[in-house]
Amino acid sequence: MRILAIETSCDETAVAIIENGNTVLSNIVSSQINIHKAFGGVIPEVASRIHVENISYVLEEALRKADLTIDAIDAFAITQGPGLIGSLHVGLIAAKTLAWYYQKPLIPIHHITGHIYANRFVETLQYPMLALVVSGGHTELVYLKEEFDFQVLGSTQDDAVGEAYDKVARVMGLPYPGGPEIDKLAKLGKAHYRLPKVKTSNPLDFSFSGLKSAVLQTIQRNKDDLNKADLAYAFQEAALNELIEKTRSALDTYVVKHFVLAGGVAANSRLRERVLELKKYYPELTITIPPMWCCTDNAAMIGAVAEVAYRHGIRGNLDISADPGLEYS
Ligand code: KG4
Ligand code: ZN
């Protein structure tokens, strides 16, 4: 089965063609990052306008790279939410038009399920599975007792971890997006600044806003002799301790065969190390981290989950709309 998947939930215009759920025939991502960089973050109105300009070209390029015509496509998958309403809308209209014109099924997808199923490109997923979702908009522990069955065990009470990386980078005067910048800078730092440990009432929830305030206070207190590398190191260690501790609590509480990492922050080099270290404590557990090309937003991951969604009977009518706050189905 060949699925053409479209992803426009934030600032990447992306189209991919995926065969049988895990073979990538093409995967085109047109990033707007250089435009948004000038503003220090994504400007939603600008993002949706650029999606309108780019979507047809990205679609043509995906077909050209796969050396296919649209008649060879069996279904169209689209990110329905969560994300920026204007951005989601552009992809949804494109997918609906294609599905209607070519009379093929439309498969609406929850963006985060795409991040989770990106791990299909590495190995066959086993259940029960636990996913640590770490992106710019989400930080969650998601339990899949069975295939395509999503239960949120814990989520962030305030900022998402990617958002915390980006905000901390901004107050440290680093360019947008801040995640990769802090990742690089932290490698040059050492344990020097102490940042507080976070407390949440649900042991599987996360919180990052206190950490962000503590970074700001450290900057203000050390105005003249701030060591940015040491601060990046302290922030990163504190943020990743929070992620790993909560993950371990979930692994100790639930029956889990397979653990996967998911979302843009999965590109973080230190987090990838820390996740692989879990093997020491859980030798029976299969641990998968997504390939670097599939961590930040792309449409291949949407195609990967869409094949599963299709088997589970998920179809979209032509009256579905973009949903910025979409829940797991
Ligand atoms: O999944 P994603 O592309 O977008 C959402 O679905 O939200 O994730 C983007 C986030 C940004 O906050 C970015 O700073 C973060 O992923 N990120 C990183 C790294 N690469 C991207 N954070 C930490 N370390 C990285 N190497
Ligand atoms: Zn994402």
Side-chain angles (χ1 to χ4, degrees):
M1 176 184 202
R2 283 193 208 108
I3 296 178
L4 185 146
I6 302 178
E7 153 65 45
T8 60
S9 67
C10 191
D11 62 338
E12 268 92 21
T13 317
V15 178
I17 300 173
I18 305 298
E19 195 164 60
N20 301 329
N22 63 0
T23 302
V24 182
L25 301 185
S26 65
N27 180 35
I28 309 298
V29 181
S30 168
S31 173
Q32 308 174 359
I33 215 125
N34 287 333
I35 294 156
H36 296 290
K37 232 179 190 148
F39 304 100
V42 177
I43 308 293
E45 177 64 24
V46 174
S48 46
R49 285 176 188 216
I50 302 174
H51 285 311
V52 171
E53 286 171 17
N54 288 352
I55 186 78
S56 311
Y57 296 112
V58 177
L59 189 63
E60 273 182 357
E61 182 65 6
L63 287 163
R64 201 188 59 77
K65 268 268 162 68
D67 199 17
L68 293 173
T69 62
I70 227 155
D71 305 320
I73 303 297
D74 300 306
F76 297 99
I78 179 64
T79 302
Q80 188 185 7
L84 303 171
I85 181 75
S87 290
L88 288 166
H89 221 81
V90 179
L92 190 75
I93 291 293
K96 275 192 192 183
T97 307
L98 290 166
W100 171 75
Y101 189 80
Y102 291 96
Q103 290 295 301
K104 301 273 165 77
L106 179 67
I107 314 169
I109 295 297
H110 185 291
H111 177 80
I112 298 297
T113 67
H115 278 299
I116 295 172
Y117 276 88
N119 287 284
R120 287 189 83 182
F121 293 120
V122 182
E123 60 192 311
T124 305
L125 303 179
Q126 304 160 56
Y127 304 89
M129 182 168 92
L130 178 71
L132 172 62
V133 176
V134 284
S135 77
H138 289 75
T139 305
E140 290 173 344
L141 280 161
V142 182
Y143 189 61
L144 291 85
K145 199 166 176 201
E146 286 157 15
E147 184 182 75
F148 209 67
D149 172 19
F150 306 92
Q151 183 191 353
V152 179
L153 304 180
S155 56
T156 183
Q157 298 299 289
D158 37 63
D159 293 345
V161 63
E163 190 183 353
Y165 264 91
D166 294 339
K167 286 182 176 168
V168 163
R170 185 196 275 241
V171 295
M172 286 173 64
L174 301 171
Y176 176 84
E181 299 291 329
I182 293 195
D183 191 357
K184 269 189 267 166
L185 193 57
K187 287 194 208 304
L188 310 172
K190 58 184 180 318
H192 170 50
Y193 297 115
R194 284 176 69 99
L195 297 174
K197 216 170 133 36
V198 195
K199 281 209 179 69
T200 54
S201 44
N202 170 3
L204 300 183
D205 279 344
F206 303 88
S207 169
F208 295 97
S209 71
L211 187 56
K212 185 187 64 193
S213 308
V215 168
L216 202 54
Q217 283 159 11
T218 308
I219 294 173
Q220 282 157 357
R221 270 202 305 269
N222 298 275
K223 265 204 173 80
D224 302 326
D225 61 346
L226 183 74
N227 184 319
K228 282 194 182 179
D230 288 353
L231 187 56
Y233 175 93
F235 163 74
Q236 175 155 285
E237 287 306 303
L240 301 189
N241 284 343
E242 167 80 349
L243 296 176
I244 297 294
E245 270 173 35
K246 304 295 167 74
T247 299
R248 290 194 59 180
S249 297
L251 289 172
D252 293 339
T253 313
Y254 291 83
V255 177
V256 180
K257 256 193 171 167
H258 199 160
F259 172 73
V260 300
L261 190 60
V265 184
N268 183 272
S269 58
R270 182 78 180 120
L271 178 58
R272 295 170 83 85
E273 269 173 30
R274 298 278 310 261
V275 163
L276 293 177
E277 279 168 21
L278 287 171
K279 197 81 192 158
K280 277 195 286 200
Y281 307 100
Y282 307 94
E284 304 292 310
L285 185 67
T286 304
I287 298 178
T288 305
I289 51 179
M292 287 299 278
W293 65 264
C294 211
C295 288
T296 46
D297 290 348
N298 63 83
M301 67 184 196
I302 302 302
V305 70
E307 185 272 336
V308 183
Y310 186 82
R311 280 195 277 109
H312 284 255
I314 306 291
R315 304 286 185 277
N317 293 326
L318 292 179
D319 61 357
I320 59 166
S321 56
D323 185 350
L326 185 68
E327 305 273 348
Y328 292 96
S329 52

